[in-house]
Amino acid sequence: AQSVTQLDSHVSVSEGTPVLLRCNYSSSYSPSLFWYVQHPNKGLQLLLKYTSAATLVKGINGFEAEFKKSETSFHLTKPSAHMSDAAEYFCVVSLRVGLNTGFQKLVFGTGTRLLVSP
Amino acid sequence: ETGVTQSPTHLIKTRGQQVTLRCSSQSGHNTVSWYQQALGQGPQFIFQYYREEENGRGNFPPRFSGLQFPNYSSELNVNALELDDSALYLCASSSDRTGAYEQYFGPGTRLTVT
């Protein structure tokens, strides 16, 4: 079964320093992977997605992630953290619903809370 | 382009009562999925609706039910509310034409059961 594991429940960085949020996946075939961000008391926003095209995926707000099949990883990075990046980040894999590949459900990791200090 | 909207924003119910949550999908999307996010956890898939029928279901009991209407909007109904049903309920819309790989979420409804 496909799943994702987020390796850190909390990550603390200083403003202006790099961000690394780690995610490993488990899949018997090439997965579709996503990173979503959730700011306090807000819904989920899609940061970026990997769907078997380029392995280095660029997203919004300067975030990017690299799909590494050999390491079964999909870590999220950003060169320089901003105070507004403080939020909960979810690594997500999609699974087929029913027999039609056109229908997918999202399976979320447990989340990583990013704290950014001045 | 109108995004996904949900109502109400907050709701307080008593154990044993019934609740209905509403979701309007994003323009051009014909598939709606519902997720439950308990405090401190990631969202869990409840079910998905397409063409007014349930297309798939997660590990939730039958007292969780839903509807989808011809305009693709959707309702989530929960009967016999339990304290553990307290959570943020998220609706996500997508399109079968794009493979539903991108799901766009609404802001959620915060349900508190006392």
Side-chain angles (χ1 to χ4, degrees):
Chain A
Q2 295 200 102
S3 65
V4 290
T5 302
Q6 292 185 245
L7 302 173
D8 307 291
S9 59
H10 293 80
V11 169
S12 295
V13 300
S14 299
E15 192 175 21
T17 64
V19 175
L20 170 63
L21 305 183
R22 299 183 294 164
C23 173
N24 286 350
Y25 70 89
S26 172
S27 175
S28 55
Y29 52 91
S30 184
S32 293
L33 294 164
F34 309 79
W35 278 96
Y36 279 82
V37 62
Q38 187 174 38
H39 287 90
N41 300 316
K42 298 231 175 136
L44 290 154
Q45 182 182 21
L46 177 65
L47 274 179
L48 50 80
K49 63 178 179 179
Y50 167 78
T51 54
S52 71
T55 57
L56 182 61
V57 181
K58 293 188 183 300
I60 62 172
N61 300 334
F63 285 95
E64 62 181 38
E66 186 172 7
F67 176 76
K68 292 187 176 181
K69 187 175 180 179
S70 60
E71 299 177 9
T72 63
S73 69
F74 189 59
H75 300 336
L76 181 70
T77 60
K78 183 174 181 178
S80 177
H82 192 272
M83 294 296 290
S84 61
D85 294 328
E88 189 86 16
Y89 291 79
F90 292 97
C91 182
V92 180
V93 64
S94 68
L95 291 181
R96 192 174 65 194
V97 175
L99 300 177
N100 189 327
T101 57
F103 300 101
Q104 303 277 322
K105 66 177 181 181
L106 301 181
V107 177
F108 287 75
T110 51
T112 297
R113 182 166 298 276
L114 176 64
L115 305 169
V116 182
S117 57
Chain B
E1 184 178 271
T2 306
V4 180
T5 61
Q6 292 185 244
S7 62
T9 305
H10 295 86
L11 203 53
I12 300 175
K13 289 286 189 178
T14 303
R15 191 170 49 184
Q17 286 187 316
Q18 178 265 343
V19 68
T20 297
L21 310 181
R22 295 177 175 83
C23 170
S24 292
S25 60
Q26 183 167 308
S27 175
H29 287 179
N30 55 13
T31 304
V32 174
S33 303
W34 286 91
Y35 294 81
Q36 180 197 63
Q37 185 177 19
L39 196 62
Q41 298 182 22
Q44 301 288 318
F45 175 74
I46 303 174
F47 44 52
Q48 183 178 89
Y49 276 81
Y50 172 70
R51 289 186 175 176
E52 303 177 48
E53 291 191 0
E54 186 178 291
N55 191 48
R57 188 177 188 93
N59 189 27
F60 281 81
R63 58 189 186 84
F64 285 79
S65 63
L67 286 172
Q68 186 182 33
F69 300 99
N71 66 354
Y72 307 128
S73 66
S74 176
E75 286 182 356
L76 164 65
N77 299 289
V78 186
N79 293 323
L81 283 167
E82 301 177 0
L83 295 179
D84 285 349
D85 296 333
S86 294
L88 180 67
Y89 288 85
L90 295 162
C91 162
S93 75
S94 54
S95 169
D96 66 319
R97 290 181 290 278
T98 58
Y101 290 105
E102 287 189 28
Q103 297 192 13
Y104 293 87
F105 285 82
T109 294
R110 173 78 59 189
L111 173 65
T112 302
V113 182
T114 62

